[in-house]
Amino acid sequence: FEYLRDDALDARNHFDSFRAVDDSVVSEGPKSKLSQHQFGGSIGGPIVKDRAFFFGSYEGYHLDAGQNIIEAVPSDLAWSRAVPAIQAVRPAFTSGGAAVLPGASTDPLIDIVQLQDDQKVREHAFSGRFDMRMNQSWSFYTRVFHDQGTNDQPDGVTGRRKHFTDNPTNAVFNL
């Protein structure tokens, strides 16, 4: 199977355009990136007629998605009033790719900042099962599942990122 979503097939995301309090468009950003693929398959059948059976499956998931992050940060006026020791941390408040949205804030000490960045998710899941009937009274099965996944995504206008890795495995044996 294959399930596909792509930005070429979608309309512009409502949040790609930032709107001010009076609902006027303050910033018309680029269309958010989206490429999502979910794919895989399964197979199963008898190994020995009426006695032993197998089943296996695989599922993959790939996502490349644009993230639109909007946050309030101290304005130039606010930074000019800060003590020198605090001014040293100013670069940590926004990344180089963040854009100030003019007119988005009514407070002179606050700027509204927008950052468009990408999230990347990769996941691969595998499962297998084996069933066997030994006689009329006894049977057993075993099942194994393994998943490998990573997620890398922006976490605010500072440019910091979150990265997750997940690799769970479980198995069951039943007699």
Side-chain angles (χ1 to χ4, degrees):
F1 66 90
E2 165 77 19
Y3 172 74
L4 168 70
R5 279 191 67 197
D6 196 274
D7 54 25
L9 306 171
D10 289 346
R12 177 179 285 280
N13 180 333
H14 174 75
F15 297 102
D16 290 339
S17 301
F18 181 77
R19 299 184 185 285
V21 177
D22 65 359
D23 210 31
S24 61
V25 175
V26 173
S27 172
E28 185 75 28
K31 186 176 176 183
S32 291
K33 177 181 181 178
L34 176 63
S35 176
Q36 178 181 346
H37 294 271
Q38 230 173 318
F39 52 91
S42 60
I43 188 168
I47 297 172
V48 177
K49 185 177 179 183
D50 296 330
R51 293 199 47 102
F53 308 88
F54 77 97
F55 178 82
S57 71
Y58 165 78
E59 182 175 344
Y61 179 75
H62 292 185
L63 174 68
D64 295 313
Q67 299 287 308
N68 192 359
I69 301 166
I70 299 171
E71 292 180 4
V73 299
S75 69
D76 288 339
L77 178 61
W79 283 110
S80 71
R81 294 178 179 181
V83 296
I86 297 296
Q87 289 180 0
V89 300
R90 184 177 186 179
F93 273 79
T94 57
S95 77
V100 174
L101 304 174
S105 173
T106 58
D107 185 338
L109 297 176
I110 302 282
D111 280 338
I112 304 298
V113 178
Q114 179 180 32
L115 177 68
Q116 290 185 316
D117 204 345
D118 293 335
Q119 173 187 23
K120 184 175 285 220
V121 178
R122 297 292 182 264
E123 187 171 7
H124 303 278
F126 307 88
S127 70
R129 180 172 168 142
F130 175 74
D131 288 75
M132 184 166 183
R133 189 170 54 167
M134 297 177 295
N135 58 42
Q136 292 291 77
S137 301
W138 291 89
S139 66
F140 79 90
Y141 78 87
T142 186
R143 177 188 53 81
V144 176
F145 173 81
H146 179 69
D147 189 25
Q148 298 172 326
T150 60
N151 180 7
D152 183 59
Q153 68 186 54
D155 185 35
V157 297
T158 63
R160 67 188 179 268
R161 299 191 67 82
K162 290 181 181 176
H163 184 79
F164 304 95
T165 300
D166 200 12
N167 291 307
T169 299
N170 66 56
V172 173
F173 177 81
N174 185 9
L175 177 64

